[in-house]
Amino acid sequence: GGRVKLTTALTSALGTDGNGLLFVDGGNTFWLWYHAKAAGLAAALQEVRRITPFAYAGVSAGAILAGRTCDTAYWKGWDDPTVVPEEALEESLDGLGLVEPAVFPHHGPRWAETVAECSQSL
């Protein structure tokens, strides 16, 4: 199936020496989440982690994706959720589960109140 192929591709790209790095860039978090989920990336990365350790570096949306949940994508209102099918958003926004519970990039004093309020729901 597709997940086996993704696991094989990831293992090949990351190597098995424990020095691999998976870099996930930013963009619209909902778009990235939707396609990562459709590809089975979370399950594939769990399988790869059983084979070899690797580092993950995510920028903006890529950082949000690393969390157990991607709900923080709603906090700033920067990403447009309408780029994915509406029914997809009826499901939970499960991330890759590499970080507990979630990542909120671009954090600064401007967002302190938002983080304090919203993080309680994580």
Side-chain angles (χ1 to χ4, degrees):
R3 195 173 86 202
V4 173
K5 291 180 184 178
L6 181 57
T7 302
T8 302
L10 286 166
T11 303
S12 177
L14 295 169
T16 56
D17 61 2
N19 293 315
L21 170 67
L22 178 59
F23 178 83
V24 181
D25 207 352
N28 185 303
T29 305
F30 299 100
W31 183 256
L32 181 61
W33 165 82
Y34 178 77
H35 289 284
K37 184 173 182 161
L41 184 58
L45 289 178
Q46 287 177 356
E47 290 180 33
V48 171
R49 180 127 310 158
R50 284 191 279 272
I51 297 166
T52 185
F54 61 90
Y56 178 98
V59 175
S60 194
I64 292 174
L65 187 66
R68 176 181 41 80
T69 178
C70 295
D71 285 341
T72 57
Y74 287 111
W75 294 5
K76 294 187 304 281
W78 290 358
D79 292 343
D80 178 6
T82 65
V83 299
V84 300
E86 187 176 336
E87 60 273 7
L89 296 174
E90 294 171 2
E91 304 169 26
S92 64
L93 285 180
D94 293 339
L96 298 177
L98 302 174
V99 178
E100 287 288 337
V103 178
F104 183 70
H106 313 293
H107 186 285
R110 171 182 174 193
W111 300 105
E113 189 175 319
T114 299
V115 170
E117 181 181 314
C118 294
S119 62
Q120 295 177 24
S121 67
L122 298 175

